[in-house]
Structure formats: structure tokens, C-alpha cells
């Protein structure tokens, strides 16, 4: 069974448009929060991975907007590894309300593993094994 991180976030006013609805690009920010917290929960922060010289740029992102998120909503970002390959990782997200009865949005991000020179690489065994245990 895949490991799912659940991170709660309260929507702030700065994340919304004039109508009090979360601006579309902020969903990707919420995905990043979920991704960061998943790694932390697995035992290795983004910062630590970068210290190993491995970076995870976003190559591809998809968001399915289902129900508007509004100012002051408490959302729960569900994040899990959906694919792990030697040189990339794909993460799946769902943003739900607090009691998880509404799915506001879902989506994914795809990340190649690269070194500081931009070359695609396989992460070292420590990093790879941490990611593998989430699969």
C-alpha cells in the first residue's frame, strides 16, 4: 500500500483572487507543500537531498480543478509517489476539505533527478531507498 502524506493548510487571503477563490497557480504551490512534507515525513528533507547534489525540477504538472477552494478554508493535501523510475519520480496529489468529503482538486507532477549541472542522474541509494519505501 503506498504511503500517503496528509498536510493541513489554512488558505490565506494572499492566495485568493478578488472573489475570495484560490488563484489557479496556487494549487501548484499547495502541491509543492505536499511534496516537501512527504519527503520530510519519509526522513529526508528537500534541503538534505539538495546537499547530496540532487535536484527535482518540475518537468510536467497537471491540475484538475473540481471545486473552488476559498479564503480561510482548511485544506488537506494528500501526496503520494505514483511512479518511481531510476531517473524520475511522479507524484500524485489530491486536495480535500478537512473531513475529506470533498475533493477540491487532483493532479500530478513529474520530476527528473538532475545534478547541479543539469545532467539527468540516478539518485544515490540512500535517497532512492527512501523514495522506494513510499511506493
Amino acid at each position: 500500500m503506498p504511503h500517503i502524506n496528509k498536510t493541513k493548510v489554512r488558505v490565506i487571503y494572499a492566495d485568493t483572487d478578488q472573489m475570495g477563490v484560490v488563484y489557479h497557480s496556487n494549487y501548484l504551490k499547495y502541491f509543492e507543500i505536499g511534496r516537501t512534507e512527504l519527503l520530510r515525513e519519509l526522513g529526508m528533507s528537500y534541503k538534505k537531498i539538495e546537499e547530496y547534489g540532487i535536484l527535482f525540477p518540475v518537468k510536467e504538472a497537471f491540475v484538475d480543478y473540481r471545486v473552488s477552494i476559498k479564503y480561510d478554508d482548511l485544506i488537506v493535501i494528500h501526496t503520494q509517489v505514483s511512479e518511481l523510475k531510476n531517473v524520475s519520480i511522479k507524484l500524485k496529489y489530491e486536495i480535500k476539505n478537512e473531513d475529506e468529503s470533498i475533493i477540491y482538486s487532483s493532479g500530478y507532477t513529474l520530476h527528473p533527478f538532475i545534478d547541479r549541472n543539469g545532467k539527468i542522474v540516478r539518485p544515490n541509494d540512500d535517497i532512492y531507498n527512501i523514495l522506494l519505501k513510499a511506493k
Side-chain angles (χ1 to χ4, degrees):
M1 183 140 184
H3 179 83
I4 299 174
N5 172 269
K6 296 180 181 183
T7 301
K8 290 184 180 183
V9 174
R10 175 78 59 189
V11 175
I12 62 172
Y13 191 75
D15 285 350
T16 64
D17 60 18
Q18 188 176 9
M19 299 174 290
V21 174
V22 170
Y23 188 70
H24 69 277
S25 65
N26 285 319
Y27 287 71
L28 293 172
K29 180 178 83 171
Y30 297 147
F31 286 4
E32 182 176 353
I33 291 168
R35 183 165 63 247
T36 300
E37 293 307 315
L38 172 66
L39 291 172
R40 188 181 320 280
E41 188 173 83
L42 293 173
M44 186 161 294
S45 69
Y46 245 131
K47 182 178 180 179
K48 188 70 171 171
I49 291 170
E50 289 181 352
E51 288 172 4
Y52 279 100
I54 303 295
L55 307 172
F56 292 11
V58 176
K59 179 185 182 294
E60 188 175 308
F62 173 78
V63 183
D64 180 12
Y65 304 95
R66 298 179 184 189
V67 177
S68 295
I69 302 172
K70 299 196 172 138
Y71 168 66
D72 205 40
D73 283 348
L74 183 61
I75 60 172
V76 183
I77 307 160
H78 295 235
T79 309
Q80 69 183 76
V81 174
S82 64
E83 292 178 22
L84 179 61
K85 298 183 178 177
N86 283 336
V87 295
S88 68
I89 187 169
K90 187 174 187 178
L91 296 154
K92 175 183 166 186
Y93 310 88
E94 285 187 331
I95 300 176
K96 299 181 179 185
N97 65 333
E98 186 176 14
D99 71 6
E100 301 184 8
S101 62
I102 298 170
I103 299 175
Y104 292 117
S105 70
S106 61
Y108 69 85
T109 55
L110 176 64
H111 308 262
F113 302 119
I114 65 169
D115 64 17
R116 295 207 180 275
N117 297 315
K119 181 182 174 198
I120 295 177
V121 296
R122 185 184 192 283
N124 68 35
D125 287 343
D126 290 340
I127 295 170
Y128 194 82
N129 289 333
I130 283 173
L131 297 171
L132 190 60
K133 73 181 183 183
K135 185 82 176 85

